[in-house]
């Protein structure tokens, strides 16, 4: 349904907003150029140090936060 499409679009925009608030960019090439990443708590707790893995774990944590908020 159209309302479902709209909801998915809004959730995607929200994730992109949260991600760019933390990492300032969305494009992989730009992100790879960043020397200092502000990893999320979970990425730090897991000891993730590899650049791309930090972004993936942090992105998943942001999504988990969103899912938790939707469940309330």
């Amino acid at each position: 349904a159209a309302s479902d499409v709209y909801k998915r679009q809004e959730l995607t925009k929200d994730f992109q907003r949260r991600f760019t608030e933390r990492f300032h960019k969305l494009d992989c090439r730009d992100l790879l150029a960043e020397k200092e990443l502000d990893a999320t708590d979970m990425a730090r707790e897991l000891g993730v140090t590899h650049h791309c893995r930090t972004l993936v774990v942090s992105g998943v944590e942001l999504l988990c936060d969103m899912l938790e908020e939707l469940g309330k």
Side-chain angles (χ1 to χ4, degrees):
S3 63
D4 291 338
V5 171
Y6 177 77
K7 190 172 189 174
R8 283 192 299 270
Q9 289 172 341
E10 290 304 306
L11 289 170
T12 300
K13 288 177 188 176
D14 186 28
F15 174 72
Q16 289 175 335
R17 179 190 56 76
R18 292 174 191 227
F19 192 89
T20 54
E21 280 177 0
R22 183 155 211 114
F23 298 110
H24 311 288
K25 296 173 173 58
L26 283 176
D27 184 71
C28 189
R29 182 184 305 177
D30 294 334
L31 289 163
L32 284 171
E34 290 292 314
K35 299 299 179 212
E36 298 295 322
L37 294 176
D38 180 25
T40 58
D41 292 339
M42 182 60 68
R44 284 191 289 275
E45 286 177 28
L46 292 172
V48 178
T49 57
H50 185 272
H51 199 84
C52 294
R53 291 178 186 151
T54 298
L55 293 167
V56 170
V57 170
S58 296
V60 169
E61 185 175 359
L62 293 172
L63 288 170
C64 288
D65 290 346
M66 289 174 66
L67 288 171
E68 186 176 315
E69 291 168 15
L70 287 171
K72 291 182 179 178

